[in-house]
Amino acid sequence: MSTHELFATRASRMKASEIRELLKLLDQPGIISFAGGIPDPALFPAEGFSAAFQAALGPNQQAQALQYSVSEGYVPLREWLIDHMGSIGVKCGLENILITSGSQQALDYLGKLYLSPGDTALVGWPTYLGALAAFNAYEPRFDRLSINGNRGAAEYAALAGEGAVKFAYLSPDFANPTGETVDLRGREALLDLTDQLNCAVIEDGAYQALRYDGDAIPPVLALELACKGSIEDCRTIYCGSFSKTLSPGLRVGWVVAAKPVISQMVLMKQAADLHSATINQMAIDQVARACFDTHIPMLRRVYGARRDAMLQALQDHMPDGVQWTKPEGGMFVWLTLPVGTNGAELLARALDTVKLAFVPGGAFFPDGSGSNTIRLSFSNSNEDTISEGIRRLGEVLRA
């Protein structure tokens, strides 16, 4: 028997990330890339991190920074997160917070925690590719989450078959890949639906801090908590991340949920990696305390200007029949191309003829549909580069 024949059945559901593969293109000369949804490294608080790591490796902290730590996470960072979550309407305690190695690890743990083979995960159509990859290993079926549609709990339950609907996953603020935001009414409708289905909500808050205009909307967990009075009675699980605000390379994220959920995830972390890197958590804690409240407004100004540049360039250069979202925050604009246009084929032509990269939209659909869609990221390009890149895209589309 060959080695691959020994693999578990779930291995056949694991696929390479198109986005991770496209990131390799960034090293090619002359490429304008709207592919990776990555922050601009020029905006990292590098001086703050330099000072934080020096302090962590100093005589007073190095023993702790270089040692094993508790699986739940560095206590001072979790204490900072209690205040941070409280500022967005989520009252929680230390035992409601787990530090993870990026929010991607949290999604993997939650898939493992909730999904048995054949269970149903409700997701957007399209939805975040990393969530599909994390959940897919646990052999679920995916159903389309239609918050403002006319589908009721009975229909979702009936289509689940022998399995059960275990959770609804969404990024309600400036979602990856569409950039769209779920309004207050939609969030309330989601809570009503999941209450009827007796299932959880996984709220991905990766972009929640990056709002450029419009009024902030309370997180789904904050709305549920306001209704139920205690986080211990809430089914919503909030996944946060410092990757889009402070640093993606340190891989520090967090989960806020009722204690039974956190307790089970702690057991998973003990089995997986014991704990997230202590020194990284210490550095994030120091930088967050020093500059988070001033750093975020700067990111909003810079990324907001880049979003505006992309929307204006699309208006100037797109041919008839192309539609796009107008996000209030985040890092992405989602394009729907004329029927018959194939995003993957368009990418190949764009790379070959005008040295332009983006992400074909089909990868974000659980059923592989959406071939006439593409995702553009504006976060890692200045305004001039954005304008030129969109001009090139218009040229390829017209050709």
Side-chain angles (χ1 to χ4, degrees), residues 3 15 21 24 75-76 113 116 128 160 170 199 222 237 264 276 289 302 304 306 326 329 331 355 365-366 380 386:
T3 300
K15 300 177 182 178
E21 294 299 315
K24 299 173 184 177
V75 170
L113 179 60
S116 299
Y128 171 47
L170 80 164
C199 72
I237 301 138
Q264 286 298 124
S276 296
R289 291 176 186 276
V302 174
R306 294 176 181 181
K326 297 176 176 61
M331 295 183 170
K355 292 187 178 296
F365 290 83
N380 197 30
I386 288 169

Side-chain angles (χ1 to χ4, degrees), residues 188-232:
E188 292 170 341
L190 172 69
L191 288 172
D192 287 342
L193 173 66
T194 52
D195 272 347
Q196 292 176 53
L197 287 169
N198 194 27
C199 72
V201 176
I202 298 176
E203 179 176 17
D204 190 337
Y207 304 94
Q208 189 271 335
L210 299 180
R211 173 174 284 278
Y212 314 135
D213 49 43
D215 296 327
I217 306 172
V220 176
L221 179 53
L223 294 173
E224 186 179 17
L225 202 157
C227 290
K228 297 183 177 177
S230 169
I231 194 170
E232 300 307 327

Side-chain angles (χ1 to χ4, degrees), residues 156-187:
Y156 281 113
L159 290 174
E162 295 182 2
V165 179
K166 289 298 184 65
F167 59 73
Y169 164 82
L170 80 164
S171 184
D173 296 292
F174 333 119
N176 181 359
T178 64
E180 294 177 329
T181 294
V182 179
D183 62 16
L184 178 60
R185 181 178 178 181
R187 297 177 196 217

Side-chain angles (χ1 to χ4, degrees), residues 127-365:
T127 195
Y128 171 47
L129 178 58
L132 293 179
F135 303 150
N136 210 29
Y138 303 106
E139 304 177 71
R141 62 179 297 277
F142 294 106
D143 196 0
R144 181 171 188 160
L145 177 61
S146 180
I147 296 171
N148 290 314
N150 56 7
R151 297 185 66 189
E155 181 179 350
Y156 281 113
L159 290 174
E162 295 182 2
V165 179
K166 289 298 184 65
F167 59 73
Y169 164 82
L170 80 164
S171 184
D173 296 292
F174 333 119
N176 181 359
T178 64
E180 294 177 329
T181 294
V182 179
D183 62 16
L184 178 60
R185 181 178 178 181
R187 297 177 196 217
E188 292 170 341
L190 172 69
L191 288 172
D192 287 342
L193 173 66
T194 52
D195 272 347
Q196 292 176 53
L197 287 169
N198 194 27
C199 72
V201 176
I202 298 176
E203 179 176 17
D204 190 337
Y207 304 94
Q208 189 271 335
L210 299 180
R211 173 174 284 278
Y212 314 135
D213 49 43
D215 296 327
I217 306 172
V220 176
L221 179 53
L223 294 173
E224 186 179 17
L225 202 157
C227 290
K228 297 183 177 177
S230 169
I231 194 170
E232 300 307 327
D233 297 323
C234 293
R235 292 194 187 94
T236 302
I237 301 138
Y238 184 96
C239 301
S241 175
F242 291 104
S243 293
K244 305 302 186 291
T245 54
L246 296 182
S247 166
L250 296 188
R251 309 308 302 131
V252 179
W254 72 93
V255 179
V256 179
K259 291 176 188 176
V261 175
I262 297 298
S263 296
Q264 286 298 124
M265 295 182 74
V266 167
L267 296 179
M268 292 176 179
K269 194 155 184 63
Q270 290 172 352
D273 63 358
L274 301 183
H275 62 86
S276 296
T278 309
I279 192 170
N280 290 0
Q281 296 182 66
M282 294 173 72
I284 286 283
D285 175 61
Q286 180 168 322
V287 172
R289 291 176 186 276
C291 74
F292 192 86
D293 290 341
T294 56
H295 187 69
I296 297 304
M298 180 275 292
L299 292 182
R300 289 171 176 163
R301 289 192 300 272
V302 174
Y303 290 152
R306 294 176 181 181
R307 177 212 51 184
D308 293 344
M310 180 167 281
L311 293 178
Q312 184 60 57
L314 289 166
Q315 186 68 41
D316 293 342
H317 298 294
M318 286 300 99
D320 292 341
V322 178
Q323 298 177 321
W324 56 90
T325 57
K326 297 176 176 61
E328 294 181 331
M331 295 183 170
F332 307 107
V333 176
W334 180 253
L335 269 63
T336 301
L337 310 175
V339 175
T341 307
N342 185 287
E345 295 174 359
L346 184 69
L347 172 63
R349 289 201 302 273
L351 286 169
D352 183 53
T353 59
V354 298
K355 292 187 178 296
L356 177 69
F358 48 81
V359 182
F364 299 96
F365 290 83

Side-chain angles (χ1 to χ4, degrees), residues 29-179:
I31 291 284
I32 293 179
S33 177
F34 299 143
I38 59 178
D40 185 343
L43 304 180
F44 295 157
E47 292 184 3
F49 277 116
S50 178
F53 277 104
Q54 288 180 25
L57 292 173
N60 295 327
Q61 297 188 54
Q62 63 179 354
Q64 182 179 17
L66 300 177
Q67 185 58 279
Y68 287 116
S69 186
V70 295
S71 299
E72 289 84 350
Y74 183 55
V75 170
L77 177 56
R78 289 157 65 207
E79 291 173 337
W80 183 89
L81 284 167
I82 290 173
D83 291 337
H84 173 70
M85 294 304 299
S87 73
I88 58 174
V90 177
K91 183 179 180 181
C92 59
L94 205 63
E95 293 180 333
N96 299 117
I97 300 175
L98 169 68
I99 303 298
T100 56
S101 297
S103 61
Q104 187 65 31
Q105 185 180 64
L107 296 179
D108 176 58
Y109 287 179
L110 290 167
K112 182 184 294 185
L113 179 60
Y114 280 98
L115 295 171
S116 299
D119 282 340
T120 294
L122 304 181
V123 298
W125 227 263
T127 195
Y128 171 47
L129 178 58
L132 293 179
F135 303 150
N136 210 29
Y138 303 106
E139 304 177 71
R141 62 179 297 277
F142 294 106
D143 196 0
R144 181 171 188 160
L145 177 61
S146 180
I147 296 171
N148 290 314
N150 56 7
R151 297 185 66 189
E155 181 179 350
Y156 281 113
L159 290 174
E162 295 182 2
V165 179
K166 289 298 184 65
F167 59 73
Y169 164 82
L170 80 164
S171 184
D173 296 292
F174 333 119
N176 181 359
T178 64

